[in-house]
Amino acid sequence: GHDHEGGFGSNAWAVAGTHTADKRSLLAGDGHLPLSIPSLFYSVGMDTAHLGGGDLTQVGLMIPGLPTLAVGTNGQVAWGQTQLFGDITDWYREELQLDAQGAPSASRFGGGWEPLVAVSERYEIADVALLGSVGRTEEALRWETFDGRLITEIEGIEVDAGQSPGLGQTIVSVMGQPLIPQDIDGDGIITAISFDHTGLDSGNLVVASDALGRATDVRDLQEQTQRLVAYSQNIIASDSAGDVLYTGYQAVPCRGYLPREADGSWVAGADPSMLLDGTRYGGFEIPLVDGFVDESRAGEPYQCLVPFAEYPQVVSPASGYVLTANNDPGNISTDGSLFNDPHYIGGPWLEGFRAQRIDEVLAAAVADHSADIDAMSALQGDHRSNVAALWLPVFLSAVEHARSLALGPAPDPDSSEARIVAAYLAEEARVLEVEARLEAWRGAGMPARAGIETFYQSVEPGDPEHAVATMIWNTWVGLAVQGILDDEAWPDVHRPTGDTGRTRTLERMFSGRGPGNPEGMASYNPQTQESAFFDDLNTPQIETSDEILIRALIDALELLSGPPTGDAEGGFGTDDMDAWLWGLRHLVRFESLLAEVVEEDDAFGFIVDLFSITPDTLPLAEPLGAGDPRRGLPWFPRHGDHLNVDAGNTGFGTTEFTYGSGPVFRMVIALGPDGAEGVNILPGGQSGIKDSPYWSDQAALWLGNETWPLHTTVEDVIDASTHRETLVP
């Protein structure tokens, strides 16, 4: 439910007290991770100030097993986080030397050979018959370079476990794969891959995280971020004085030892976003003093850090708010390059659909001082179709072009224009109906509505029409992406996710159409005046972008009017578009964590179902007659679609619309002189015990974008308590 192909992300923002409805600062956060059961986060209040003689009072969320809050408030500061996509890991191409027994012994560096460090590790394997695990002890030998880079891959011949080596050979295990190191490509060099990571150096994330939660205001929290090593998170914070903060600071090597060209790009073999030449460039070191990063060693090339004062961060900007949705943190990549700024900290970042929408709504809210807890919760549930906002005009222009071609002189029979006209005329009535529906949806603001009545969402006026338009749009864009990109069979190079890479590629291709190659594309075809990648390699003729879009629309109509191919999959078995409701296909999954363990073993499917939350657990509505289309839905219909704020990501280039990753909490906190007030909800429940009444009690509210109050004082907790437990050592 959460992968680089389907895309993911998180949201966090804060509004300064000077721009809110009641002068209290606001912090909102909703991390997007697998919607697994039990929930990944655990709601907790920690208090030693009243209950233990300490100084800690915090309310928020933690990952079970970790001793500090990931997000929450201490009454003076509130904080949230999203993934930064910072680059704190470098990968290296190594050249190895073998000893007489054929084992790795040295790596080339600086024109000579440096001995490798062999590290023996011992693993105790649990005896779990259900999972096929046999209890045992295993020894594994790994290697590091002289400066601590870990070797993760070695050139050689893969062998089976238990196989005996030949004379002068040694079988080594690299990342669990037994192999005999050997020059198999005949270049006279045995190559390897190693990496260095800031987390391999000293640092204490527990202490650093605890320090964030004890901050007294946003500037104090900002200073405490100088403890962060191997963190790579955007942090949004607000405080009781009304200030707000954005920072993504963590210890990042300045990499000044990597030479650059005159234009700022790195020379061959020195690009830290690619594979570095390990024979010339070594591993970095993160220096610390009393737990804080030490910038005093900037003169030592491998201990130099990106300066704290020059890192992208801001306190209480003039706009009145800060936000992060995994987008570019400081206009680093907006000029098309990651390499011409004073410092390289990572990237590329996500495409910015969610960030742009959040920015639009917050700008309006601060302008009229309407920002409050309810308004921030409503923004977390925003389900405008952001992809449609960008590309629906492009897609509809293809229909307009087809119509103008059909009304004009007959085109050359062997041309793309002739094929466009033929496809359009064959389905003219349905295409015109689609155009009218999508234009009306566009005029309404492109709300991605489910159109399905359930216990957690009602069908409002206009919802059925919006649901049909959403269904048509998402099927059309999915098939169009397949038709434009999939025939090239490109490798997975769409960093940092498939969504972002495809968006970046397609936007360049669409905006690059026209005379004179306006985007300067290497793939520009002067004959078609657009990217050659629009052509379908599976056919002998040369297709154009409008032909691919019209063809994708016709295919979408055929798919949607065709028969279902499974539960909530395929078509609707009718040409009546009124039946094509988005909520019958766009479903959210609350799957058990066990699904990851036994996903390839059907014999354990019943266990996964038992510990998942499904409509059998929470019936969609009562009663459901035999002909009710909601009957038999395996999961829960939801508003929203791909890359909207209330993430319902299904993945680009797909016509299967269920999803299992989204907001694992929806937290909003208001802070002022009188303390903290807040709300939150989990996609499941507080308990991981199946028979507990708290196992699925929050899922119903989560589905309807409703929340529970956060109890931020001892008095609030006592007033709302159901029982009390005292744990005695």
Side-chain angles (χ1 to χ4, degrees):
H2 184 245
D3 56 43
H4 282 265
E5 186 65 20
F8 53 89
S10 301
N11 306 316
W13 63 86
V15 184
T18 53
H19 291 74
T20 64
D22 58 12
K23 304 304 181 184
R24 295 186 296 175
S25 67
L26 292 166
L27 182 284
D30 52 291
H32 300 169
L33 290 165
L35 298 168
S36 56
I37 304 301
S39 300
L40 292 181
F41 280 87
Y42 187 77
S43 299
V44 66
M46 299 192 295
D47 192 307
T48 62
H50 296 84
L51 307 169
D55 60 355
L56 189 70
T57 300
Q58 296 179 351
V59 175
L61 296 151
M62 64 172 19
I63 297 174
L66 298 183
T68 59
L69 294 189
V71 297
T73 183
N74 61 14
Q76 300 177 81
V77 173
W79 68 97
Q81 306 184 53
T82 73
Q83 171 57 243
L84 172 65
F85 294 108
D87 188 351
I88 53 176
T89 305
D90 282 350
W91 297 84
Y92 303 79
R93 176 190 176 275
E94 307 285 356
E95 297 182 7
L96 300 187
Q97 187 179 72
L98 306 181
D99 62 18
Q101 288 74 45
S105 62
S107 62
R108 185 184 295 277
F109 187 79
W113 292 97
E114 296 285 350
L116 294 174
V117 178
V119 181
S120 179
E121 296 182 336
R122 186 188 192 101
Y123 296 90
E124 298 295 334
I125 311 300
D127 190 8
V128 185
L130 180 64
L131 301 179
S133 177
V134 179
R136 63 197 185 278
T137 299
E138 290 195 3
E139 300 265 352
L141 194 65
R142 64 173 175 82
W143 287 268
E144 299 178 2
T145 64
F146 71 97
D147 57 352
R149 287 171 277 157
L150 276 61
I151 293 177
T152 62
E153 190 172 335
I154 297 176
E155 181 181 6
I157 300 174
E158 295 183 359
V159 297
D160 296 328
Q163 184 174 331
S164 299
L167 184 64
Q169 295 180 334
T170 295
I171 295 179
V172 301
S173 178
V174 183
M175 302 297 289
Q177 173 59 55
L179 60 84
I180 297 173
Q182 194 173 118
D183 173 23
I184 60 175
D185 60 8
D187 64 355
I189 301 171
I190 297 175
T191 57
I193 303 295
S194 70
F195 79 96
D196 198 1
H197 173 58
T198 58
L200 300 179
D201 295 321
S202 60
N204 193 322
L205 280 179
V206 173
V207 171
S209 179
D210 182 59
L212 298 180
R214 295 175 183 270
T216 56
D217 57 34
V218 296
R219 288 177 176 82
D220 182 19
L221 187 147
Q222 183 184 30
E223 291 297 314
Q224 296 302 324
T225 63
Q226 293 179 85
R227 298 175 180 268
L228 296 174
V229 179
Y231 203 61
S232 207
Q233 293 283 103
N234 298 292
I235 297 176
I236 295 286
S238 63
D239 65 26
S240 57
D243 286 316
V244 295
L245 163 73
Y246 164 79
T247 181
Y249 182 78
Q250 63 176 331
V252 176
C254 73
R255 298 177 171 102
Y257 46 86
L258 299 175
R260 299 188 184 225
E261 303 286 4
D263 63 357
S265 62
W266 281 282
V267 304
D271 182 348
S273 71
M274 305 296 286
L275 198 62
L276 296 173
D277 183 351
T279 71
R280 291 189 289 162
Y281 312 115
F284 49 72
E285 180 183 350
I286 305 299
L288 300 175
V289 174
D290 297 329
F292 286 84
V293 297
D294 181 8
E295 295 185 10
S296 68
R297 306 187 203 178
E300 299 292 331
Y302 288 97
Q303 295 182 342
C304 173
L305 301 175
V306 174
F308 175 78
E310 298 175 27
Y311 211 94
Q313 49 189 328
V314 66
V315 174
S316 295
S319 65
Y321 60 91
V322 291
L323 70 93
T324 171
N326 315 104
N327 52 295
D328 186 327
N331 282 325
I332 295 170
S333 62
T334 50
D335 61 355
S337 172
L338 293 173
F339 314 126
N340 57 0
D341 296 275
H343 304 289
Y344 168 72
I345 65 170
W349 290 274
L350 295 194
E351 66 293 315
F353 281 113
R354 287 177 290 110
Q356 182 179 22
R357 178 58 173 169
I358 293 168
D359 186 52
E360 292 173 359
V361 176
L362 289 182
V366 301
D368 62 9
H369 292 268
S370 62
D372 58 14
I373 290 178
D374 289 343
M376 299 301 96
S377 292
L379 177 51
Q380 289 176 333
D382 185 271
H383 49 264
R384 184 192 70 166
S385 182
N386 295 322
V387 177
L390 177 65
W391 282 334
L392 182 56
V394 174
F395 280 51
L396 289 175
S397 71
V399 175
E400 184 178 351
H401 183 214
R403 180 166 55 250
S404 66
L405 288 174
L407 295 174
D412 184 329
D414 295 325
S415 66
S416 177
E417 288 78 6
R419 294 189 295 273
I420 291 174
V421 170
Y424 171 80
L425 291 177
E427 292 283 359
E428 184 175 22
R430 292 208 295 176
V431 169
L432 292 177
E433 181 179 352
V434 165
E435 182 183 37
R437 287 178 177 271
L438 292 179
E439 286 286 10
W441 183 54
R442 181 184 177 190
M446 294 156 292
R449 302 289 288 182
I452 299 296
E453 186 82 24
T454 63
F455 72 88
Y456 53 86
Q457 62 191 21
S458 300
V459 176
E460 300 175 2
D463 276 3
E465 292 78 13
H466 298 328
V468 172
T470 307
M471 184 77 251
I472 294 171
W473 164 249
N474 280 278
T475 308
W476 188 5
V477 75
L479 292 173
V481 171
Q482 291 179 23
I484 295 169
L485 298 180
D486 287 3
D487 59 306
E488 267 75 28
W490 287 347
D492 184 19
V493 296
H494 304 306
R495 296 183 298 164
T497 71
D499 285 348
T500 301
R502 291 186 181 97
T503 302
R504 185 182 296 116
T505 302
L506 289 168
E507 178 61 16
R508 185 78 175 270
M509 290 169 64
F510 283 134
S511 61
R513 298 184 299 178
N517 194 6
E519 288 288 336
M521 295 183 294
S523 64
Y524 185 79
N525 180 352
Q527 292 183 325
T528 59
Q529 296 190 346
E530 61 185 19
S531 171
F533 290 130
F534 281 119
D535 175 46
D536 184 352
L537 295 180
N538 298 312
T539 66
Q541 63 268 12
I542 296 179
E543 287 86 2
T544 61
S545 56
D546 281 352
E547 181 180 354
I548 294 295
L549 293 179
I550 292 297
R551 191 171 74 183
L553 175 56
I554 303 304
D555 290 344
L557 293 171
E558 290 303 309
L559 187 156
L560 293 171
S561 62
T565 56
D567 291 337
E569 295 180 3
F572 295 86
T574 177
D575 289 332
D576 182 3
M577 294 185 192
D578 287 339
W580 301 354
L581 298 176
W582 179 234
L584 296 176
R585 295 294 180 267
H586 187 245
L587 313 177
V588 61
R589 307 189 306 269
F590 296 140
E591 292 182 283
S592 168
L593 282 171
L594 294 172
E596 294 289 332
V597 180
V598 299
E599 61 180 348
E600 296 181 0
D601 193 336
D602 293 338
F604 294 106
F606 74 96
I607 297 179
V608 175
D609 293 342
L610 181 64
F611 290 96
S612 300
I613 297 177
T614 71
D616 289 334
T617 313
L618 298 172
L620 298 177
E622 294 289 354
L624 294 179
D628 195 313
R630 297 170 295 178
R631 187 180 179 91
L633 288 179
W635 302 105
F636 297 94
R638 281 281 288 161
H639 301 316
D641 67 356
H642 202 54
L643 300 178
N644 46 214
V645 176
D646 187 8
N649 295 349
T650 59
F652 267 142
T654 184
T655 54
E656 199 282 309
F657 300 115
T658 70
Y659 68 102
S661 175
V664 290
F665 59 89
R666 295 193 188 97
M667 182 183 72
V668 181
I669 295 171
L671 282 177
D674 296 330
E677 178 188 2
V679 295
N680 186 52
I681 203 69
L682 299 175
Q686 181 77 348
S687 175
I689 300 174
K690 178 67 164 62
D691 295 332
S692 167
Y694 309 112
W695 181 70
S696 62
D697 58 333
Q698 296 190 51
L701 294 172
W702 185 98
L703 286 165
N705 289 97
E706 298 182 56
T707 57
W708 276 350
L710 281 175
H711 301 300
T712 58
T713 68
V714 172
E715 292 75 19
D716 288 341
V717 172
I718 292 173
D719 289 343
S721 64
T722 58
H723 66 280
R724 175 175 177 172
E725 296 181 8
T726 302
L727 305 179
V728 180

